[in-house]
Amino acid sequence: MSSKLRQLFSVIRKTPELIGPARPTARVIKQLSNLDDQQCVRFQIPMIFFYKNDPSPAMEGKDPVKVIREALSKALTFYYPLAGRLKEVSNRKLMVDCNGEGVLFTEAEANITLEQLEVGDAVRPPCPYLHELLYNVPGSEGILGCPLLLIQVTRLACGGFILALRLNHTMCDAFALLQFMKAIEDMAKGANEPSLLPVWERELLSPRIPPKITCTHHEYDDQTDSTLAMNPNDHIINHKSFYFGPKEITALRNQLPQHLRDGCSTFELLTACIWRCRTMALQIDPDEIVRVTCCVNIRGTKYNMMLPNGYYGNAIATPTACSTAGDLSKYSLAYAVDLVKKVKATASEEYVRSLIDFMEIRGRPMPAVKGSFVVSDITRGGFEEVDFGWGKPVYAGPPEAVLFMSFYIKYQNKDSGEYGTLVPICLPLRAMEKFEEELKKMTLQ
């Protein structure tokens, strides 16, 4: 966003309100799974959706704020645990009190158009005005005893709108959030129930009896030195996003030996490249252990977890590759690709069961932080398909990266029209400059 546009930009918000289910729902206590209440998912995750003023005939003349508010309430009738509040019991176990208190909803108006935002590339991460479009209601940001979802819908001067939300990650992963958003879409378009009914059944991811740790979980390595590889308080933090289209992917793939070139996924290639560039940019001590954690979706039949269609909990395994910073920086891209491929291959039913049991035995410990980086691929998530009646969003996905985590987002290059992957990155300012240098070297080959 240009400085001139930033000066003009303003948002007027109404008082936030609690939206509960449209009809009475069960007043019960539900237990989260051991994948839901890991320490590593006890945070709020934001998402943002930009829409043009392109209503369908059925939505002509209707107010998107009113339509979405009513559809949200109807969807919560089926997803009523999201209207509840979390509490913690013994062994740091999380439960949700389905009390129907509701989710936070804010109605707002902005004085600029979507076209103005598109000119400055402000509809892709990093979102420079996120705090305006997603108001942090005082007292709402906690994990326990707070609303589990916060939504702000902002009308634009052109008739378009922006929907921004913040979700308590312990309740849903990205795939589950998309399922809920599609339920809101169904209700907005007049359905009586979601096209895919939600399934709780978190007991499917319960620990074994007795629990037993059978695999190595480097994402939870013990760390005697608790200092971070980079301290955000000591640096100016810089946010940028990087686009990887067919040209960049081909340049990276061409650096690999034939056996890796043919058998390497785009995810593995990107993860290896970014992990290597990031490690070099941070100038980590060569003997330091660095990690990259791959978020792997365990739905479907591959991992034999028997999760039914409609399951809307966290269903993500977190296999983690390790290397010394020196080796990762010194050796070629093929070295990093090989590490990522091997660790992804360790994700199995046994690995997931071991992770669930690990939480039970170890009491949900803090994950390894020093030298760690987490990547989550949502390119197949389908957020770009969510249509409340005003067409598909111009952009849908995370508004920014966080310090130790980034996302792979499906994105259409507005100049070429081609589809590729957008990767938001968050680094200290000097490290970001070095990251860009290293990335340029690798993608121009």
Side-chain angles (χ1 to χ4, degrees):
M1 179 187 284
S2 68
S3 58
K4 183 178 180 180
L5 186 57
R6 191 187 296 272
Q7 290 171 0
L8 293 173
F9 182 80
S10 69
V11 173
I12 298 174
R13 290 182 295 266
K14 289 191 175 180
T15 302
E17 57 183 320
L18 285 170
I19 303 293
R23 300 193 303 272
T25 55
R27 177 68 192 264
V28 293
I29 304 291
K30 288 181 175 285
Q31 181 171 292
L32 272 64
S33 81
N34 277 17
L35 295 187
D36 293 322
D37 58 16
Q38 298 176 78
Q39 183 63 41
C40 65
V41 293
R42 296 190 184 204
F43 69 96
Q44 307 276 354
I45 185 165
M47 298 288 282
I48 196 163
F49 302 75
F50 294 81
Y51 290 92
K52 292 181 178 180
N53 180 18
D54 187 21
S56 65
M59 293 300 178
E60 196 69 50
K62 292 186 178 181
D63 176 13
V65 174
K66 185 174 185 293
V67 169
I68 292 170
R69 183 196 284 114
E70 291 178 358
L72 171 64
S73 182
K74 292 175 182 177
L76 286 171
T77 304
F78 299 89
Y79 288 85
Y80 63 90
L82 289 175
R85 300 293 183 268
L86 287 181
K87 61 180 183 179
E88 190 177 69
V89 294
S90 60
N91 199 28
R92 304 194 66 230
K93 190 72 201 160
L94 292 182
M95 319 278 281
V96 57
D97 180 1
C98 303
N99 56 20
E101 282 189 37
V103 303
L104 276 168
F105 186 90
T106 303
E107 175 181 344
E109 302 265 359
N111 64 341
I112 57 173
T113 67
L114 185 59
E115 289 74 17
Q116 286 175 291
L117 297 177
E118 286 184 294
V119 167
D121 248 353
V123 296
R124 57 182 271 180
C127 179
Y129 41 85
L130 180 60
H131 66 287
E132 295 284 352
L133 297 173
L134 188 58
Y135 177 54
N136 182 18
V137 179
S140 69
E141 69 275 11
I143 297 300
L144 304 178
C146 291
L148 299 172
L149 179 68
L150 182 152
I151 293 179
Q152 180 175 322
V153 182
T154 305
R155 300 183 195 88
L156 299 173
C158 58
F161 63 95
I162 301 170
L163 186 154
L165 65 83
R166 193 186 70 198
L167 171 74
N168 186 320
H169 200 338
T170 63
M171 293 295 290
C172 303
D173 59 19
F175 296 93
L177 173 61
L178 174 66
Q179 182 180 315
F180 179 62
M181 298 298 290
K182 296 296 282 186
I184 298 174
E185 174 188 317
D186 291 337
M187 298 305 181
K189 293 179 176 179
N192 292 319
E193 63 179 30
S195 53
L196 178 60
L197 290 172
V199 176
W200 183 264
E201 294 188 19
R202 312 273 169 130
E203 66 276 5
L204 292 171
L205 299 178
S206 295
R208 294 172 286 199
I209 302 174
K212 51 186 177 180
I213 302 170
T214 55
C215 300
T216 301
H217 299 283
H218 287 300
E219 62 271 41
Y220 285 99
D221 281 346
D222 289 326
Q223 294 181 301
T224 54
D225 182 354
S226 61
T227 59
L228 306 184
M230 56 180 182
N231 185 344
N233 297 320
D234 294 340
H235 302 84
I236 298 172
I237 300 301
N238 193 235
H239 290 264
K240 286 193 176 183
S241 57
F242 299 88
Y243 175 75
F244 295 84
K247 177 183 174 183
E248 289 79 12
I249 295 300
T250 298
L252 292 173
R253 198 176 291 278
N254 285 342
Q255 298 173 47
L256 302 178
Q258 196 65 48
H259 73 284
L260 281 178
R261 189 181 305 176
D262 295 339
C264 168
S265 71
T266 299
F267 174 87
E268 291 160 349
L269 188 63
L270 272 182
T271 299
C273 168
I274 293 167
W275 183 31
R276 186 169 183 267
C277 290
R278 184 179 181 275
T279 299
M280 295 170 75
L282 288 168
Q283 298 181 318
I284 298 171
D285 186 292
D287 295 327
E288 179 90 33
I289 297 296
V290 291
R291 302 169 186 79
V292 65
T293 296
C294 306
C295 296
V296 177
N297 182 13
I298 60 170
R299 293 169 175 82
T301 58
K302 181 178 179 180
Y303 299 99
N304 197 36
M305 301 307 296
M306 311 303 289
L307 299 178
N309 287 337
Y311 183 83
Y312 67 105
N314 285 279
I316 300 295
T318 50
T320 300
C322 300
S323 172
T324 64
D327 284 350
L328 192 63
S329 303
K330 176 176 60 176
Y331 296 130
S332 69
L333 177 63
Y335 169 79
V337 168
D338 191 53
L339 288 177
V340 173
K341 280 184 66 66
K342 285 177 178 175
V343 79
K344 268 196 72 187
T346 66
S348 62
E349 179 184 1
E350 184 59 33
Y351 179 88
V352 178
R353 294 293 177 195
S354 176
L355 178 61
I356 292 168
D357 291 353
F358 183 97
M359 295 301 133
E360 194 70 15
I361 293 169
R362 296 283 298 275
R364 296 155 188 83
M366 285 291 294
V369 174
K370 188 177 182 184
S372 294
F373 180 51
V374 181
V375 291
S376 179
D377 182 1
I378 59 171
T379 56
R380 296 185 180 91
F383 288 103
E384 70 282 355
E385 301 291 327
V386 176
D387 175 3
F388 302 109
W390 280 264
K392 296 177 182 179
V394 173
Y395 171 80
E400 60 187 14
V402 293
L403 203 53
F404 301 103
M405 184 175 188
S406 192
F407 309 90
Y408 299 164
I409 305 160
K410 184 178 179 181
Y411 188 78
Q412 185 175 24
N413 187 310
K414 66 181 183 181
D415 296 324
S416 65
E418 67 185 12
Y419 280 93
T421 303
L422 192 68
V423 184
I425 295 288
C426 173
L427 285 169
L429 182 58
R430 290 184 182 178
M432 183 66 82
E433 293 169 355
K434 177 71 172 170
F435 178 87
E436 289 185 86
E437 289 176 14
E438 295 299 332
L439 185 60
K440 190 173 183 180
K441 290 178 191 175
M442 294 185 72
T443 54
L444 287 181
Q445 293 191 28

